[in-house]
Amino acid sequence: MKKHVDLPDVASERDTRGVALHAVGIRGLRLPIRLIGGTGNEQTVIAVADLSVDIDAEQRGTHMSRLVSTLYEWASAPQSPESVYTLLQLTQERLQSRRAQLRLQFPYFIPLAAPVSGTPGLLDVEVEWECALNNGASSSVSFFAFPAMTLCPCSKEISDYGAHNQRAIVRLWLRTKDRLPRLPEAYLPLVQESASALVYPVLKRPDEKYITERSYETPRFVEDVARELTLRLQSREELCWFRVECESIESIHNHNAFAVYESPRGK
């Protein structure tokens, strides 16, 4: 058995350069997290995490291994979105920092049945949370990227038959009054109402017929999608700020089209 030797703690050495750092930490750590959704359902996601703290001018470095250990410990049990602040508070305590920041990216799967046949499927939505605790004050922004479909109103108007259509990505950033991160289930119906059609995981022939005809009857520019979704989000009481972006991956152009709306900043 090797004799225990006290090793120097270089990160705790005093720094004399007089520069405090706003964020020091780890980036790109992949780990499984068991998330509890708003309906109480649980799913395991593979997340990519960035976790950081601030350090004073007198402190040479932080203890990166403590950040990794804290993330693993937190992810060892099922977690709800609001428990992110438990993670940040624990990080502050262990690293003796005033500020802790987390960025978490993961795909989240929403059950979505085909519109006519009812064939079950799972729609994957890209989710990103940016959360922070700063001297006891919490903040968070939730990001979602929903797949959808747009059909060009101009193409429909000028063509004798048919109209070009394409996949679109509807991106949504939101900040809530309770400052908690969100999962995307509640916002998928708003996207469905705003776009020409949703993109479904599984389609049988009756479903394909329905989607083709629905999109033709509901033509949308990217401007239309952005405006329709904005109007729906403006009526959501839980929001204090949001940003909407629709990008169409154009099928007959060698470029994409996009439109953006951002609400005034709320408190």
Side-chain angles (χ1 to χ4, degrees), residues 227-238:
R227 285 174 171 140
E228 290 287 335
L229 188 51
T230 292
L231 291 174
R232 289 170 171 82
L233 290 169
Q234 284 174 339
S235 65
R236 301 286 298 206
E237 292 293 329
E238 77 274 18

Side-chain angles (χ1 to χ4, degrees), residues 171 222-223 226 243 245-248 250 256-260:
R171 301 182 179 96
V222 290
E223 298 95 326
R243 185 177 190 266
E245 177 182 295
C246 179
E247 180 178 1
S248 281
E250 294 291 301
N256 291 351
F258 76 95
V260 174

Side-chain angles (χ1 to χ4, degrees), residues 184-224:
E185 293 106 327
Y187 302 95
L188 180 62
L190 308 185
V191 175
Q192 183 176 26
E193 295 163 3
S194 303
S196 295
L198 279 183
V199 171
Y200 288 82
V202 184
L203 292 176
K204 301 297 187 181
R205 279 174 294 176
D207 305 307
E208 188 172 343
K209 179 179 185 297
Y210 170 83
I211 291 298
T212 301
E213 293 173 349
R214 172 184 163 79
S215 61
Y216 190 77
E217 293 166 357
T218 318
R220 291 280 195 267
F221 291 128
V222 290
E223 298 95 326
D224 296 320

Side-chain angles (χ1 to χ4, degrees), residues 77-91:
Q79 301 294 344
S80 59
E82 53 265 30
S83 69
V84 161
Y85 291 117
T86 302
L87 167 64
L88 291 175
Q89 187 173 26
L90 186 59
T91 301

